[in-house]
Amino acid sequence: MTDTDELRGMIEDIDQTIIENIATRMEIADKLAEAKKKEGQRYWDESKEKEVQNRYHELCEEVGLSEEEARKIADAILTISRERQKHYFE
């Protein structure tokens, strides 16, 4: 049986990976914003946002997370991404 300290350590390792992956995602979102600005596109596309939300729902469903959990995760990440990309267009 695994003790609480070991479990907490495992969670800390996963949290580090999650944050590193989110940081990488945001770096790519910044590059995407630059590319969209150069191409004369709007900084945010609601249809693309819906696609991302649907993708998160499908991915979460595959691993046993609920639709509500998928929505919360997508909302958090998309909100950060939207705010970052908006700065390139101000």
Side-chain angles (χ1 to χ4, degrees):
M1 182 140 191
T2 308
D3 68 9
T4 56
D5 289 337
E6 186 177 347
L7 292 168
R8 286 186 177 116
M10 292 167 68
I11 288 173
E12 288 174 9
D13 291 343
I14 292 167
D15 287 345
Q16 181 174 350
T17 301
I18 290 168
I19 296 303
E20 289 170 356
N21 286 334
I22 290 172
T24 300
R25 189 191 193 287
M26 293 307 153
E27 290 171 6
I28 294 167
D30 291 348
K31 291 176 184 176
L32 177 61
E34 291 174 343
K36 287 191 285 191
K37 186 172 183 176
K38 285 180 185 177
E39 294 175 9
Q41 298 178 27
R42 295 175 46 224
Y43 79 92
W44 202 251
D45 182 337
E46 291 180 16
S47 66
K48 287 291 182 191
E49 180 175 350
K50 188 66 177 162
E51 287 178 25
V52 173
Q53 290 168 334
N54 290 337
R55 184 172 66 241
Y56 274 62
H57 178 254
E58 291 171 9
L59 292 169
C60 285
E61 188 174 60
E62 289 175 10
V63 296
L65 296 173
S66 72
E67 184 175 346
E68 178 66 13
E69 291 165 327
R71 185 194 59 75
K72 288 178 180 179
I73 294 166
D75 285 350
I77 291 173
L78 289 170
T79 297
I80 295 166
S81 183
R82 186 182 316 112
E83 290 171 359
R84 288 175 66 105
Q85 290 188 48
K86 184 178 181 180
H87 290 292
Y88 286 89
F89 288 80
E90 294 178 338

